[in-house]
């Protein structure tokens, strides 16, 4: 049988996830010195780690080629999918927010509003929940540009420190949802490899301080 495989989100969550595995007593030297390698052994753990973009973490776990994954709730909310979300790991905390140019009120006036976002599904759902029609424009990154260029009335985006908004003359008008890193598991893996996965999930939860 192959080693259990955990898909980790590259970038913002990577260092904290590596530290979590280290706290569990694992040797994370391959993860720390990975160069451009994408599949890394975690010696002595019976685990190998795969480094992927957030949405791909979900795809690999959904298809069962990875048994576990660590991914942000933002990606889970946008992407959905068939997997179990088994733990809130407590790090990578930030929030989804509706932001506008400083001093503007997103809801003023009667004209249809335009929202730019990397998260069109989250955005549509949010405004549908308010029974409000908005035009949603998908942006791939640096969404803060859209209202500055008058492409949109506001953005729905992740706010962590608030620095990006502040330095670009934008401000939060409304909180949409809280976000943090989550542990996800493939349902078939959980059934077939329960004996290995259950203690591992418990150990991850314990190290994350959220039993
Ligand atoms: C995220 C987000 C904001 C910024 C928020 O972007 O989309 O732009 O971080 O962080 P802050 O509140 O601490 O300033 P990211 O850096 O992931 O890059 P991207 O916009 O190019 O996707």
């Amino acid at each position: 049988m192959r080693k259990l495989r955990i898909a980790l989100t590259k970038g913002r969550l990577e260092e904290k996830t590596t530290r979590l595995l280290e706290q569990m007593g694992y040797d994370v030297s391959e993860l720390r010195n990975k160069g451009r390698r994408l599949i890394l052994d975690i010696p002595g753990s019976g685990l190998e780690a795969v480094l992927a973009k957030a949405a791909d973490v979900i795809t690999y776990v959904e298809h069962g080629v990875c048994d576990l994954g660590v991914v942000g709730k933002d990606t889970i909310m946008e992407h959905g999918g068939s997997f179990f979300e088994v733990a809130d790991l407590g790090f990578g905390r930030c929030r989804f927010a509706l932001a506008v140019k400083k001093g503007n009120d997103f809801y003023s006036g009667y004209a249809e509003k335009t929202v730019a976002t990397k998260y069109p599904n989250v955005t549509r759902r949010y405004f549908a929940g308010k029974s409000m029609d908005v035009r949603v424009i998908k942006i791939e990154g640096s969404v803060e540009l859209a209202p500055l260029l008058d492409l949109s009335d506001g953005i729905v985006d992740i706010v962590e420190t608030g620095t990006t908004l502040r330095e670009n003359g934008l401000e939060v008008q409304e909180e949409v949802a809280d976000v943090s890193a989550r542990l996800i598991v493939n349902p078939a893996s959980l059934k077939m490899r329960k004996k290995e996965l259950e203690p591992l999930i418990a150990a991850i939860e314990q190290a994350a301080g959220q039993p």
Side-chain angles (χ1 to χ4, degrees):
M1 214 184 313
R2 68 159 170 77
K3 282 189 173 185
L4 284 177
R5 216 175 266 146
I6 185 164
L8 310 181
T9 301
K10 278 196 216 175
R12 281 183 181 232
L13 297 180
E14 195 175 324
E15 175 50 32
K16 283 187 175 136
T17 313
T18 303
R19 222 178 298 145
L20 179 75
L21 293 166
E22 193 171 36
Q23 253 174 273
M24 293 169 69
Y26 297 147
D27 172 2
V28 294
S29 51
E30 281 213 12
L31 273 172
R32 287 253 156 78
N33 306 300
K34 63 183 182 334
R36 300 288 297 168
R37 281 178 305 154
L38 301 170
I39 303 181
L40 295 314
D41 190 30
I42 308 177
S45 68
L47 263 178
E48 70 185 3
V50 166
L51 284 170
K53 284 192 84 162
D56 299 336
V57 165
I58 293 183
T59 302
Y60 292 131
V61 171
E62 275 191 306
H63 287 274
V65 296
C66 291
D67 307 287
L68 300 147
V70 174
V71 66
K73 183 68 178 178
D74 54 328
T75 308
I76 294 175
M77 285 172 69
E78 180 62 19
H79 192 286
S82 39
F83 51 81
F84 293 144
E85 184 185 318
V86 292
D88 181 345
L89 298 175
F91 57 82
R93 282 200 187 283
C94 52
R95 57 217 162 110
F96 266 127
L98 168 67
V100 293
K101 274 197 225 171
K102 213 161 181 238
N104 280 12
D105 175 8
F106 181 80
Y107 297 103
S108 71
Y110 295 99
E112 189 185 42
K113 302 295 173 186
T114 301
V115 185
T117 186
K118 283 187 278 190
Y119 302 89
N121 294 326
V122 171
T123 303
R124 280 195 200 96
R125 224 182 301 134
Y126 180 64
F127 287 103
K130 291 174 169 284
S131 305
M132 187 175 163
D133 283 329
V134 296
R135 194 168 145 241
V136 176
I137 298 180
K138 169 89 194 281
I139 297 289
E140 295 298 330
S142 301
V143 185
E144 294 82 0
L145 273 172
L148 297 177
L149 302 178
D150 291 321
L151 175 67
S152 73
D153 301 291
I155 60 174
V156 167
D157 198 20
I158 292 300
V159 180
E160 192 179 355
T161 60
T163 309
T164 313
L165 291 182
R166 207 161 40 244
E167 292 193 0
N168 290 289
L170 304 174
E171 64 185 3
V172 169
Q173 170 147 1
E174 223 164 58
E175 313 270 329
V176 173
D178 287 327
V179 167
S180 58
R182 306 295 159 102
L183 181 65
I184 62 170
V185 183
N186 174 273
S189 296
L190 192 57
K191 207 165 151 193
M192 308 294 290
R193 303 188 69 171
K194 200 181 170 91
K195 276 209 174 108
E196 300 158 272
L197 275 172
E198 277 189 348
L200 179 63
I201 293 167
I204 293 174
E205 283 181 324
Q206 202 192 1
Q210 317 252 322

